[in-house]
Amino acid sequence: MGHRKIRNLVLAGLMAAGTMALSGTADAAGASDAMLANTCAGCHGTNGVSGGPAIPSIAGMKKEILFSMMQQFKDQSRPSTIMGRIAKGYSEGELHQIAAFFEKQKWVNTTAATDAAMAAKGAKLHKSKKCKGCHEENGATQDSEENMFRMAGQWPGSLYLMMKNYQAHDYPNAPKKMIKRLKKLSDADLHALANFYASQK
Amino acid sequence: MANLTRRTFIQAAGGVAAVGLIGAAPRDAAAAKAKVVVLGGGYGGAIAAKYIRMADPTIDVTMIEQDHNYYSCPLSNAVIGGFRDINVQKHSWAKAASKHGYKVIHDTATLIDPKKKVVKLAGGKSVPYDRIVVSPGVSYKYGDIEGHSKKISETVIPHAWKAGPQTVMLRKQLEAMKDGGTVIIVPPKNPFRCPPGPYERVSLIAYYLKHHKPKSKILILDPKNKFSKKGLFEGGWKKHYGYGTGKSLMEWLPADGGGKVVSIQPGSTMGATVVAGDMEDEHQGDVVNIIPNQEAGKIAIDSGLADKSGWCPVDKKTFESKLHKGVHVIGDASIATKMPKSGYAANSQGKVVANAVVAMLHGKDPGTASYVNTCYSFLTPTHGISVAAVYKLKGGVISKVKGSGGLSPGDASDEFKAQEAQYNESWYGSIMSDMFA
């Protein structure tokens, strides 16, 4: 059988499938990156710039990091209240599309007021507790190898909750040393660190 | 003719009739001065207007909105519960309109003429459109309960199902009620705006009574035998408000247990005698909150966009009305199959319709739609619960993606509940910025 003949058979098959599926053909093409990512904006804000204290901004996050976090929410290796339930609604390919969309969006610093005294205490902890070794540039650095996202200018409430959750729950994919150090910190320390990173713009 | 832009052609041809004439023809980017009207600036409309402009800033978008300020329904039960200021619920369109370049006309739309492609306003103006997005919310069927009326709802028995003055009125009535009083809450029949809303309201009124008027109680007279997030609400009521014990702050009478309200005799300033059930039992309410049965917003009904059910049938891919071409209906007023009538659903539909309207004006296929709902409720200020789902279109039905979404776990820890309460607040912050920034 020649190539052309095979191709014609394939085409005939596709046409038959197309006729049967009818309205299903558009669905098979898949939603665009923006269509998928815009469904997140109700909670994470337009283009991933969050408007709320406890929900993080995800604009400008490296796509590998965001993809991996969503994938971990989906397989529940990253504990969550609601993100696990939502991430399960998207295929791996769709999660890649969503991550690619948000990587292209511009980071915007939080508008939340930060406490100067707490931020100063947080700045000391950032050094003394060795956060600084990895979270360079006062938390502005992102590293996709380590799933390390930007903390500088992030909503302090969301940073506090993330650290609190690292203390309370099991995160098999998180750096063990970081977890060990985090677990030694008091609640006031966590608030101080959250204020410090949030105040970095 | 070839050298004329679309706008000059319309002007040259003398307006409205010409719009319809070329409305059906595919357009390209150069044919860009298309006119879109968005009716209603709420959870659906504010998003549709902004996202159309974000996708194609050459499209002329005009929002028609009757109110000068917006009060968000979501989170307004916290105002009724006494731990949130009504002003936190208040927003206006000016900032988003200027940033994204859409116009706002503050007037009431009285009729859409889908043949002439114009919408008539109470102020006398007619606004032409190429496509119109209708996001009018709900209207209330006061007549389903004998003795009830719009006037009664504005003076004695607030529904507080559109946030604003009635939210404040219900709060003040609770403050004025004596300790030992009875609050009667009457949820509506399905389908209605915000399915968990009446039960969140019960929770937060109970929260107020527990701390300020502990001898009082709430009687729920329900025309239904079950309700949204029922297990989670009842679990929370048991935990916080003694539900199911002799000291319970609330009692729920389902349809089969005498819950169907037949008639009311309103008091002079607040409260009513409420008659319910087959036996026509009389219940005295010191504060009465009737959330009336609902149908699509008046403009949708008056313009022939609703079917016999009182809601608007639409193509789920584009939200274009199945009854009138060129008219799209989103949010509470539309029949969105498996999606609930929630703020987040309207937000998500606002984005789907924005994408569809832009594509269709350019003569393109809108592609595949994706939809989400995420909805939080408070049991107390520090106990939140949620329901979520991701949807795709399957055979004309907006269906939940298998395995996605669902409710908060019933056995969630206190820490989990506290985080969900915080996420409820943050949900509000983000969705408001999505609408108004």
Side-chain angles (χ1 to χ4, degrees):
Chain A
M1 209 187 275
H3 281 298
R4 174 165 293 179
K5 209 164 189 182
I6 290 173
R7 199 187 65 188
N8 286 345
L9 274 173
V10 170
L11 273 177
L14 281 174
M15 282 166 74
T19 320
M20 278 188 286
L22 274 172
S23 64
T25 46
D27 284 11
S32 70
D33 295 1
M35 173 59 69
L36 291 167
N38 284 343
T39 63
C40 311
C43 293
H44 286 278
T46 310
N47 295 336
V49 178
S50 169
I55 298 176
S57 284
I58 52 176
M61 192 184 278
K62 285 201 169 170
K63 62 184 179 197
E64 295 83 4
I65 302 174
L66 190 52
F67 169 76
S68 148
M69 287 178 89
M70 290 190 289
Q71 194 68 350
Q72 289 171 11
F73 281 133
K74 192 177 170 179
D75 69 23
Q76 289 178 306
S77 61
R78 178 176 282 269
S80 69
T81 53
I82 202 167
M83 274 310 303
R85 285 180 265 159
I86 291 172
K88 281 181 195 152
Y90 301 97
S91 68
E92 201 175 314
E94 287 170 334
L95 293 182
H96 275 300
Q97 285 183 270
I98 292 170
F101 177 89
F102 285 114
E103 185 184 58
K104 291 188 196 117
Q105 308 308 315
K106 194 172 168 274
W107 172 262
V108 178
N109 287 316
T110 175
T111 52
T114 50
D115 182 294
M118 276 168 68
K121 185 186 166 190
K124 284 183 191 154
L125 288 167
H126 174 65
K127 286 177 196 150
S128 65
K129 300 298 171 189
K130 300 183 176 161
C131 312
K132 194 185 164 202
C134 297
H135 294 279
E136 293 167 5
E137 298 173 79
N138 293 339
T141 304
Q142 298 194 65
D143 183 348
S144 41
E145 294 280 307
E146 299 285 348
N147 264 347
M148 188 172 78
F149 48 85
R150 180 186 175 118
M151 298 193 289
Q154 181 60 274
W155 286 90
S158 76
L159 290 170
Y160 168 78
L161 273 186
M162 278 184 237
M163 290 188 281
K164 193 83 190 151
N165 284 332
Y166 274 127
Q167 285 187 334
H169 302 286
D170 197 20
Y171 285 77
N173 299 304
K176 292 195 173 48
K177 277 184 188 167
M178 179 182 84
I179 299 292
K180 216 172 152 185
R181 285 178 191 138
L182 264 173
K183 283 189 173 168
K184 287 180 190 157
L185 297 179
S186 70
D187 214 45
D189 289 344
L190 299 187
H191 278 297
L193 278 171
N195 270 272
F196 167 65
Y197 294 123
S199 70
Q200 300 303 304
K201 313 256 155 113
Chain B
M1 171 82 202
N3 291 329
L4 287 177
T5 64
R6 187 180 138 61
R7 169 169 259 186
T8 50
F9 171 64
I10 293 170
Q11 284 165 348
V16 171
V19 179
L21 233 155
I22 47 171
R27 297 143 199 254
D28 55 28
K33 275 290 177 185
K35 282 183 172 23
V36 174
V37 167
V38 176
L39 280 194
Y43 275 76
I47 291 298
K50 169 171 160 176
Y51 277 74
I52 288 171
R53 292 285 304 173
M54 279 168 61
D56 184 349
T58 66
I59 295 174
D60 182 340
V61 176
T62 302
M63 177 192 286
I64 294 162
E65 164 57 50
Q66 59 186 355
D67 296 326
H68 283 268
N69 285 298
Y70 185 75
Y71 289 92
S72 166
C73 268
L75 280 284
S76 69
N77 280 332
V79 177
I80 294 164
F83 58 97
R84 193 173 177 88
D85 193 302
I86 186 71
N87 288 316
V88 184
Q89 299 299 106
K90 186 179 173 183
H91 301 271
S92 90
W93 295 269
K95 193 177 155 195
S98 103
K99 183 172 169 190
H100 301 286
Y102 63 81
K103 291 189 265 316
V104 185
I105 297 175
H106 290 292
D107 202 339
T108 304
T110 53
L111 195 70
I112 301 162
D113 183 336
K115 292 214 171 63
K116 290 186 181 159
K117 292 197 165 188
V118 291
V119 53
K120 290 175 184 157
L121 308 185
K125 258 194 227 170
S126 280
V127 184
Y129 64 82
D130 295 318
R131 290 198 169 268
I132 185 166
V133 177
V134 185
S135 188
V138 298
S139 56
Y140 305 98
K141 297 157 83 175
Y142 299 100
D144 286 6
I145 292 175
E146 195 191 322
H148 199 19
S149 67
K150 183 167 189 282
K151 187 163 179 261
I152 292 292
S153 79
E154 285 162 356
T155 50
V156 185
I157 301 173
H159 56 68
W161 217 239
K162 174 182 165 78
Q166 291 200 15
T167 312
V168 176
M169 183 171 147
L170 181 54
R171 173 64 199 162
K172 284 190 175 152
Q173 291 187 349
L174 291 167
E175 285 171 1
M177 188 183 80
K178 65 181 187 293
D179 188 8
T182 299
V183 180
I184 294 178
I185 296 182
V186 182
K189 281 197 305 198
N190 289 326
F192 64 97
R193 158 184 286 176
C194 190
Y199 311 95
E200 181 192 57
R201 178 170 291 177
V202 167
S203 311
L204 297 185
I205 291 177
Y207 173 79
Y208 168 67
L209 298 178
K210 181 180 174 178
H211 292 96
H212 298 278
K213 287 164 187 171
K215 285 184 262 174
S216 314
K217 68 175 269 185
I218 303 167
L219 179 62
I220 310 157
L221 297 173
D222 208 324
K224 308 182 292 299
N225 285 316
K226 54 183 186 179
F227 55 85
S228 169
K229 303 180 186 170
K230 184 166 177 279
L232 289 174
F233 276 115
E234 291 184 325
W237 293 349
K238 278 180 195 152
K239 183 178 161 78
H240 303 294
Y241 309 120
Y243 187 62
T245 72
K247 286 182 176 176
S248 179
L249 274 167
M250 66 273 282
E251 186 185 358
W252 177 60
L253 298 187
D256 291 350
K260 273 188 200 163
V261 172
V262 183
S263 65
I264 53 166
Q265 290 114 45
S268 57
T269 55
M270 60 188 238
T273 303
V274 181
V275 180
D278 296 338
M279 307 308 290
E280 306 219 336
D281 295 320
E282 288 194 0
H283 305 275
Q284 292 301 324
D286 298 286
V287 172
V288 176
N289 170 220
I290 294 174
I291 304 160
N293 293 335
Q294 293 157 34
E295 60 188 0
K298 191 167 182 301
I299 181 71
I301 305 271
D302 291 350
S303 303
L305 294 167
D307 64 17
K308 270 190 287 181
S309 71
W311 305 99
C312 305
V314 292
D315 174 328
K316 313 302 182 299
K317 183 174 164 176
T318 60
F319 287 90
E320 185 167 28
S321 167
K322 286 187 173 169
L323 304 176
H324 290 296
K325 289 263 172 237
V327 183
H328 302 250
V329 187
I330 57 167
D332 295 341
S334 71
I335 300 171
T337 49
K338 303 288 181 191
M339 286 185 100
K341 298 189 186 302
S342 75
Y344 203 110
N347 172 292
S348 186
Q349 292 163 15
K351 291 160 185 175
V352 171
V353 83
N355 174 69
V357 162
V358 172
M360 290 163 95
L361 286 171
H362 286 281
K364 289 180 186 155
D365 185 279
T368 301
S370 177
Y371 326 72
V372 164
N373 177 50
T374 298
C375 164
Y376 287 95
S377 308
F378 282 122
L379 269 301
T380 74
T382 54
H383 178 174
I385 56 173
S386 63
V387 64
V390 179
Y391 305 88
K392 275 186 178 170
L393 193 57
K394 255 190 191 169
V397 176
I398 303 176
S399 332
K400 203 166 103 168
V401 174
K402 214 177 157 197
S404 80
L407 295 160
S408 313
D411 58 354
S413 66
D414 286 351
E415 176 216 358
F416 189 108
K417 291 165 179 162
Q419 287 194 13
E420 291 223 284
Q422 284 181 272
Y423 288 136
N424 190 5
E425 284 273 350
S426 291
W427 173 99
Y428 181 77
S430 281
I431 206 160
M432 287 301 113
S433 73
D434 207 19
M435 288 162 70
F436 296 110

mmCIF file of all heavy atoms in Angstrom, chain B residues 116-141:
data_model
loop_
_atom_site.group_PDB
_atom_site.id
_atom_site.type_symbol
_atom_site.label_atom_id
_atom_site.label_comp_id
_atom_site.label_asym_id
_atom_site.label_seq_id
_atom_site.Cartn_x
_atom_site.Cartn_y
_atom_site.Cartn_z
ATOM 1 N N LYS B 116 -34.142 44.874 15.231
ATOM 2 C CA LYS B 116 -33.496 46.147 14.899
ATOM 3 C C LYS B 116 -32.127 46.283 15.545
ATOM 4 O O LYS B 116 -31.381 47.225 15.258
ATOM 5 C CB LYS B 116 -34.392 47.306 15.347
ATOM 6 C CG LYS B 116 -35.649 47.443 14.517
ATOM 7 C CD LYS B 116 -36.423 48.694 14.905
ATOM 8 C CE LYS B 116 -37.696 48.821 14.100
ATOM 9 N NZ LYS B 116 -38.652 49.690 14.788
ATOM 10 N N LYS B 117 -31.829 45.368 16.470
ATOM 11 C CA LYS B 117 -30.560 45.398 17.203
ATOM 12 C C LYS B 117 -30.363 46.714 17.954
ATOM 13 O O LYS B 117 -29.335 47.393 17.803
ATOM 14 C CB LYS B 117 -29.385 45.117 16.277
ATOM 15 C CG LYS B 117 -29.391 43.684 15.757
ATOM 16 C CD LYS B 117 -28.044 43.317 15.201
ATOM 17 C CE LYS B 117 -27.924 41.813 15.019
ATOM 18 N NZ LYS B 117 -26.595 41.399 14.663
ATOM 19 N N VAL B 118 -31.362 47.044 18.724
ATOM 20 C CA VAL B 118 -31.248 48.201 19.618
ATOM 21 C C VAL B 118 -31.815 47.821 20.977
ATOM 22 O O VAL B 118 -32.672 46.939 21.077
ATOM 23 C CB VAL B 118 -32.023 49.459 19.132
ATOM 24 C CG1 VAL B 118 -31.389 50.052 17.907
ATOM 25 C CG2 VAL B 118 -33.492 49.153 18.901
ATOM 26 N N VAL B 119 -31.329 48.503 22.001
ATOM 27 C CA VAL B 119 -31.908 48.339 23.324
ATOM 28 C C VAL B 119 -32.460 49.697 23.747
ATOM 29 O O VAL B 119 -31.806 50.729 23.592
ATOM 30 C CB VAL B 119 -30.897 47.745 24.332
ATOM 31 C CG1 VAL B 119 -29.595 48.516 24.375
ATOM 32 C CG2 VAL B 119 -31.503 47.689 25.743
ATOM 33 N N LYS B 120 -33.709 49.660 24.244
ATOM 34 C CA LYS B 120 -34.367 50.904 24.643
ATOM 35 C C LYS B 120 -34.177 51.124 26.130
ATOM 36 O O LYS B 120 -34.267 50.176 26.921
ATOM 37 C CB LYS B 120 -35.861 50.832 24.312
ATOM 38 C CG LYS B 120 -36.109 50.872 22.818
ATOM 39 C CD LYS B 120 -37.569 50.679 22.475
ATOM 40 C CE LYS B 120 -37.721 50.642 20.950
ATOM 41 N NZ LYS B 120 -38.931 49.963 20.533
ATOM 42 N N LEU B 121 -33.949 52.388 26.487
ATOM 43 C CA LEU B 121 -33.716 52.720 27.883
ATOM 44 C C LEU B 121 -34.875 53.535 28.448
ATOM 45 O O LEU B 121 -35.546 54.263 27.712
ATOM 46 C CB LEU B 121 -32.415 53.525 28.026
ATOM 47 C CG LEU B 121 -31.164 52.919 27.367
ATOM 48 C CD1 LEU B 121 -29.925 53.764 27.683
ATOM 49 C CD2 LEU B 121 -30.936 51.480 27.835
ATOM 50 N N ALA B 122 -35.053 53.413 29.773
ATOM 51 C CA ALA B 122 -36.151 54.132 30.436
ATOM 52 C C ALA B 122 -36.040 55.640 30.208
ATOM 53 O O ALA B 122 -37.042 56.333 30.082
ATOM 54 C CB ALA B 122 -36.148 53.817 31.924
ATOM 55 N N GLY B 123 -34.788 56.142 30.115
ATOM 56 C CA GLY B 123 -34.555 57.565 29.911
ATOM 57 C C GLY B 123 -34.915 58.052 28.519
ATOM 58 O O GLY B 123 -34.803 59.251 28.243
ATOM 59 N N GLY B 124 -35.317 57.135 27.632
ATOM 60 C CA GLY B 124 -35.758 57.530 26.304
ATOM 61 C C GLY B 124 -34.784 57.199 25.186
ATOM 62 O O GLY B 124 -35.175 57.138 24.016
ATOM 63 N N LYS B 125 -33.525 56.989 25.535
ATOM 64 C CA LYS B 125 -32.513 56.682 24.513
ATOM 65 C C LYS B 125 -32.697 55.278 23.938
ATOM 66 O O LYS B 125 -33.228 54.395 24.604
ATOM 67 C CB LYS B 125 -31.129 56.709 25.184
ATOM 68 C CG LYS B 125 -30.329 57.975 24.933
ATOM 69 C CD LYS B 125 -28.885 57.728 25.342
ATOM 70 C CE LYS B 125 -28.333 58.842 26.173
ATOM 71 N NZ LYS B 125 -27.048 58.542 26.778
ATOM 72 N N SER B 126 -32.185 55.100 22.727
ATOM 73 C CA SER B 126 -32.046 53.764 22.148
ATOM 74 C C SER B 126 -30.584 53.548 21.826
ATOM 75 O O SER B 126 -29.952 54.410 21.215
ATOM 76 C CB SER B 126 -32.858 53.656 20.860
ATOM 77 O OG SER B 126 -34.211 53.442 21.170
ATOM 78 N N VAL B 127 -30.036 52.439 22.236
ATOM 79 C CA VAL B 127 -28.615 52.178 21.990
ATOM 80 C C VAL B 127 -28.494 51.013 21.006
ATOM 81 O O VAL B 127 -28.990 49.923 21.274
ATOM 82 C CB VAL B 127 -27.885 51.835 23.309
ATOM 83 C CG1 VAL B 127 -26.394 51.666 23.073
ATOM 84 C CG2 VAL B 127 -28.145 52.912 24.365
ATOM 85 N N PRO B 128 -27.839 51.258 19.860
ATOM 86 C CA PRO B 128 -27.678 50.174 18.872
ATOM 87 C C PRO B 128 -26.521 49.238 19.250
ATOM 88 O O PRO B 128 -25.597 49.643 19.956
ATOM 89 C CB PRO B 128 -27.347 50.937 17.588
ATOM 90 C CG PRO B 128 -26.680 52.191 18.051
ATOM 91 C CD PRO B 128 -27.243 52.522 19.402
ATOM 92 N N TYR B 129 -26.603 48.026 18.787
ATOM 93 C CA TYR B 129 -25.512 47.067 19.036
ATOM 94 C C TYR B 129 -25.369 46.119 17.864
ATOM 95 O O TYR B 129 -26.319 45.914 17.098
ATOM 96 C CB TYR B 129 -25.784 46.270 20.328
ATOM 97 C CG TYR B 129 -27.018 45.393 20.253
ATOM 98 C CD1 TYR B 129 -26.965 44.130 19.644
ATOM 99 C CD2 TYR B 129 -28.233 45.821 20.776
ATOM 100 C CE1 TYR B 129 -28.095 43.324 19.569
ATOM 101 C CE2 TYR B 129 -29.369 45.026 20.699
ATOM 102 C CZ TYR B 129 -29.300 43.772 20.093
ATOM 103 O OH TYR B 129 -30.419 42.982 20.002
ATOM 104 N N ASP B 130 -24.190 45.530 17.758
ATOM 105 C CA ASP B 130 -23.999 44.402 16.843
ATOM 106 C C ASP B 130 -24.242 43.098 17.580
ATOM 107 O O ASP B 130 -24.813 42.163 17.061
ATOM 108 C CB ASP B 130 -22.579 44.428 16.258
ATOM 109 C CG ASP B 130 -22.372 45.646 15.378
ATOM 110 O OD1 ASP B 130 -23.290 45.969 14.616
ATOM 111 O OD2 ASP B 130 -21.306 46.286 15.491
ATOM 112 N N ARG B 131 -23.753 43.060 18.819
ATOM 113 C CA ARG B 131 -24.051 41.934 19.714
ATOM 114 C C ARG B 131 -24.317 42.501 21.095
ATOM 115 O O ARG B 131 -23.708 43.495 21.490
ATOM 116 C CB ARG B 131 -22.902 40.921 19.762
ATOM 117 C CG ARG B 131 -22.768 40.158 18.480
ATOM 118 C CD ARG B 131 -21.951 38.872 18.591
ATOM 119 N NE ARG B 131 -22.136 38.141 17.362
ATOM 120 C CZ ARG B 131 -23.090 37.217 17.172
ATOM 121 N NH1 ARG B 131 -23.896 36.878 18.160
ATOM 122 N NH2 ARG B 131 -23.234 36.628 16.013
ATOM 123 N N ILE B 132 -25.212 41.862 21.823
ATOM 124 C CA ILE B 132 -25.517 42.338 23.167
ATOM 125 C C ILE B 132 -25.347 41.193 24.168
ATOM 126 O O ILE B 132 -25.720 40.047 23.878
ATOM 127 C CB ILE B 132 -26.943 42.953 23.228
ATOM 128 C CG1 ILE B 132 -27.214 43.566 24.609
ATOM 129 C CG2 ILE B 132 -28.026 41.956 22.868
ATOM 130 C CD1 ILE B 132 -28.447 44.485 24.631
ATOM 131 N N VAL B 133 -24.713 41.505 25.295
ATOM 132 C CA VAL B 133 -24.548 40.527 26.367
ATOM 133 C C VAL B 133 -25.484 40.942 27.502
ATOM 134 O O VAL B 133 -25.380 42.049 28.024
ATOM 135 C CB VAL B 133 -23.092 40.487 26.878
ATOM 136 C CG1 VAL B 133 -22.963 39.507 28.040
ATOM 137 C CG2 VAL B 133 -22.129 40.129 25.747
ATOM 138 N N VAL B 134 -26.411 40.059 27.823
ATOM 139 C CA VAL B 134 -27.421 40.366 28.829
ATOM 140 C C VAL B 134 -27.086 39.608 30.106
ATOM 141 O O VAL B 134 -27.012 38.381 30.114
ATOM 142 C CB VAL B 134 -28.824 39.964 28.306
ATOM 143 C CG1 VAL B 134 -29.900 40.389 29.290
ATOM 144 C CG2 VAL B 134 -29.068 40.590 26.946
ATOM 145 N N SER B 135 -26.834 40.356 31.172
ATOM 146 C CA SER B 135 -26.458 39.747 32.453
ATOM 147 C C SER B 135 -27.270 40.416 33.561
ATOM 148 O O SER B 135 -26.738 41.134 34.399
ATOM 149 C CB SER B 135 -24.946 39.931 32.670
ATOM 150 O OG SER B 135 -24.509 39.202 33.794
ATOM 151 N N PRO B 136 -28.598 40.185 33.543
ATOM 152 C CA PRO B 136 -29.498 40.984 34.375
ATOM 153 C C PRO B 136 -29.762 40.398 35.757
ATOM 154 O O PRO B 136 -30.506 40.994 36.532
ATOM 155 C CB PRO B 136 -30.788 40.968 33.553
ATOM 156 C CG PRO B 136 -30.789 39.594 32.927
ATOM 157 C CD PRO B 136 -29.342 39.235 32.691
ATOM 158 N N GLY B 137 -29.205 39.218 36.049
ATOM 159 C CA GLY B 137 -29.513 38.595 37.335
ATOM 160 C C GLY B 137 -30.935 38.077 37.364
ATOM 161 O O GLY B 137 -31.467 37.675 36.327
ATOM 162 N N VAL B 138 -31.531 38.150 38.543
ATOM 163 C CA VAL B 138 -32.841 37.526 38.727
ATOM 164 C C VAL B 138 -33.911 38.573 39.004
ATOM 165 O O VAL B 138 -33.600 39.713 39.356
ATOM 166 C CB VAL B 138 -32.817 36.532 39.909
ATOM 167 C CG1 VAL B 138 -31.838 35.401 39.633
ATOM 168 C CG2 VAL B 138 -32.487 37.224 41.222
ATOM 169 N N SER B 139 -35.172 38.165 38.829
ATOM 170 C CA SER B 139 -36.288 38.969 39.338
ATOM 171 C C SER B 139 -37.088 38.083 40.290
ATOM 172 O O SER B 139 -36.930 36.858 40.297
ATOM 173 C CB SER B 139 -37.132 39.524 38.202
ATOM 174 O OG SER B 139 -37.600 38.479 37.373
ATOM 175 N N TYR B 140 -37.925 38.712 41.082
ATOM 176 C CA TYR B 140 -38.556 38.020 42.205
ATOM 177 C C TYR B 140 -40.045 37.840 41.981
ATOM 178 O O TYR B 140 -40.740 38.769 41.578
ATOM 179 C CB TYR B 140 -38.294 38.808 43.502
ATOM 180 C CG TYR B 140 -36.824 39.025 43.702
ATOM 181 C CD1 TYR B 140 -36.210 40.229 43.332
ATOM 182 C CD2 TYR B 140 -36.025 37.990 44.176
ATOM 183 C CE1 TYR B 140 -34.845 40.401 43.455
ATOM 184 C CE2 TYR B 140 -34.649 38.151 44.308
ATOM 185 C CZ TYR B 140 -34.069 39.361 43.944
ATOM 186 O OH TYR B 140 -32.713 39.521 44.049
ATOM 187 N N LYS B 141 -40.524 36.626 42.306
ATOM 188 C CA LYS B 141 -41.939 36.304 42.111
ATOM 189 C C LYS B 141 -42.670 36.434 43.451
ATOM 190 O O LYS B 141 -42.982 35.434 44.106
ATOM 191 C CB LYS B 141 -42.056 34.893 41.533
ATOM 192 C CG LYS B 141 -41.403 34.784 40.150
ATOM 193 C CD LYS B 141 -41.016 33.364 39.804
ATOM 194 C CE LYS B 141 -42.172 32.578 39.240
ATOM 195 N NZ LYS B 141 -41.727 31.226 38.794
#
